[in-house]
Amino acid sequence: MTADIAAIARHRIGIDGDGVTTLVAFMMCPLRCRYCLNPQTLSKEYPSKSYTAKELYDEVRTDELYFLATGGGITFGGGEPLLNPEFIKEFRAICGNDWKINVETSLNVPLKTLRELSGAINSFIVDIKDMNPAIYASYTGKDNTKVLENLKYLASAGLSGSCVVRVPLIPDFNTEKDVESSIEALEALGFTKFDKFTYKTKIHGKR
Amino acid sequence: MERGKEICKALKEIRRQIAKNNDIEFVTSECKHKGDCKGTCPKCEQELQYLEEQLAARKRLGKTTRVVGLSIGLAAIAPVLFTACDPDDSKKGPDRLMGDIVTPPTEQNTPDNQNNSDGSDDVIEGCLVDPNYNE
């Protein structure tokens, strides 16, 4: 089994999870977010590289000492990493349990995928965009039914403590009030760790 | 590329602590390199490889090694570094964002939160994606 990788970024200290991490960015995403941070992952023209899980392990294991000493590991991002569940499970089997595996995900994937994969993941960084279905659809072009279903699953499975939920203020799409509403809805589900931030784009100028 | 220098210092300190915890002689020197730094270089990689070899040698001799669970705290090794997931931390680094893959900066895709000087939450700059875009 192979996966198309857009980029591998080493030594991301304190950015994508605890300790020293290596970000592995997969190609492709089901969403079409208006202010996508990595739009190159959406293009079939982008010169990505195909890896087996073993090939990826061989490449990233150069930083194993850093991972082990700091409680870090691999953060799968993209793109949408949960489009590659078998690859991630195979990678976990190869790297063992001493490395932390984090995923930066929209959770807009089938519940079955999350159920099968959650045991291989140490922490989830979930970008929910906005909990309001209309705002979500407007910003991403997709509906958030699966996201809500998956959030409920993570909470019911006792995994909310392993999640950091990103709740962005998205210019022209939501408001501070919407962000607070999203956080309230997430708290009601049992989530406690949030990352509030603001998207900035060229068209909105400098702050 | 100040952040690259910070990463270099942090990684060097991790190497130093691994060596200390395993009684490995470890001689390093302050990097004198001027200019861009990606956080590591051939000299840093050599030091890492040296540690791996020393640890492997100790294992072959049946000695116990200590790396897993050292729990080297990032706050201790690099006070200037930060935890991105802390929403109240206004010192987030300007040149790397959560999930942002490292690509050459362009006019269209340049992480730029330098102006986030009001101590508010992190700011991410992305590219506009055509909502009708299909790969």
Side-chain angles (χ1 to χ4, degrees):
Chain A
M1 164 169 298
T2 62
D4 289 337
I5 305 293
I8 297 172
R10 299 169 63 194
H11 308 144
R12 294 176 63 90
I13 303 175
I15 301 175
D16 304 299
D18 295 335
V20 176
T21 60
T22 291
L23 174 67
V24 175
F26 287 107
M27 293 292 291
M28 298 302 148
C29 180
L31 308 184
R32 290 296 177 271
C33 300
R34 285 285 284 159
Y35 309 139
C36 179
L37 191 60
N38 296 321
Q40 62 271 53
T41 63
L42 306 176
S43 170
K44 283 185 175 166
E45 308 303 316
Y46 188 74
S48 60
K49 187 176 172 186
S50 185
Y51 284 85
T52 64
K54 178 66 165 58
E55 286 168 345
L56 179 65
Y57 173 75
D58 287 341
E59 183 159 332
V60 299
R61 73 184 294 272
T62 183
D63 291 315
E64 181 170 40
L65 282 185
Y66 297 138
F67 300 158
L68 298 180
T70 64
I74 303 297
T75 298
F76 288 111
E80 172 52 68
L82 299 194
L83 294 179
N84 301 274
E86 294 305 320
F87 184 92
I88 294 174
K89 278 196 284 187
E90 194 177 333
F91 185 88
R92 167 60 87 192
I94 295 169
C95 78
N97 290 326
D98 287 336
W99 294 16
K100 297 288 189 304
I101 293 185
N102 316 302
V103 289
E104 290 175 352
T105 174
S106 69
L107 284 186
N108 205 320
V109 296
L111 175 58
K112 182 173 179 289
T113 300
L114 186 62
R115 279 181 188 277
E116 291 176 1
L117 189 58
S118 59
I121 305 299
N122 293 99
S123 73
F124 295 83
I125 300 162
V126 184
D127 194 346
I128 55 113
K129 318 303 179 189
D130 198 289
M131 291 289 274
N132 181 313
I135 295 171
Y136 188 95
S138 171
Y139 178 65
T140 69
K142 302 285 178 182
D143 78 65
N144 67 346
T145 305
K146 291 176 188 166
V147 180
L148 301 179
E149 189 178 32
N150 285 329
L151 285 168
K152 287 174 187 166
Y153 166 73
L154 288 172
S156 67
L159 296 171
S160 56
S162 304
C163 300
V164 173
V165 187
R166 312 194 78 208
V167 193
L169 177 63
I170 313 171
D172 296 342
F173 288 90
N174 69 358
T175 64
E176 289 278 5
K177 193 178 172 192
D178 294 321
V179 169
E180 292 309 316
S181 296
S182 289
I183 289 176
E184 281 177 24
L186 289 158
E187 284 176 336
L189 286 173
F191 292 92
T192 56
K193 292 188 253 181
F194 304 106
D195 182 19
K196 280 177 64 180
F197 61 101
T198 304
Y199 287 157
K200 187 169 77 172
T201 71
K202 291 287 184 192
I203 60 171
H204 295 96
K206 307 281 188 191
R207 279 168 51 145
Chain B
M1 192 60 86
E2 276 304 302
R3 183 154 176 85
K5 298 272 190 193
E6 292 166 5
I7 289 170
C8 173
K9 281 184 189 173
L11 296 178
K12 192 188 294 286
E13 183 56 27
I14 294 169
R15 295 194 296 273
R16 198 192 312 270
Q17 291 202 30
I18 291 172
K20 183 182 169 190
N21 277 278
N22 290 280
D23 294 323
I24 295 171
E25 188 180 359
F26 187 68
V27 180
T28 185
S29 57
E30 191 176 341
C31 180
K32 303 289 185 193
H33 174 72
K34 304 283 184 197
D36 283 0
C37 171
K38 293 179 178 178
T40 191
C41 68
K43 181 174 173 289
C44 292
E45 300 285 301
Q46 251 180 5
E47 288 183 3
L48 184 63
Q49 194 177 347
Y50 164 78
L51 278 182
E52 285 180 338
E53 289 166 0
Q54 291 295 312
L55 289 166
R58 277 160 174 71
K59 282 180 185 170
R60 281 196 299 273
L61 293 171
K63 292 184 179 176
T64 304
T65 58
R66 285 192 65 219
V67 179
V68 179
L70 277 183
S71 299
I72 297 174
L74 294 181
I77 58 173
V80 290
L81 295 174
F82 52 87
T83 302
C85 295
D86 179 353
D88 296 320
D89 193 330
S90 60
K91 293 186 293 182
K92 293 176 178 180
D95 56 355
R96 286 193 184 179
L97 304 171
M98 183 188 286
D100 178 34
I101 58 181
V102 178
T103 51
T106 66
E107 180 62 21
Q108 288 76 36
N109 187 11
T110 306
D112 180 2
N113 54 5
Q114 300 271 18
N115 288 354
N116 190 22
S117 57
D118 57 0
S120 66
D121 300 319
D122 197 9
V123 178
I124 285 183
E125 180 174 12
C127 289
L128 282 174
V129 172
D130 181 345
N132 299 315
Y133 177 87
N134 287 308
E135 63 274 12

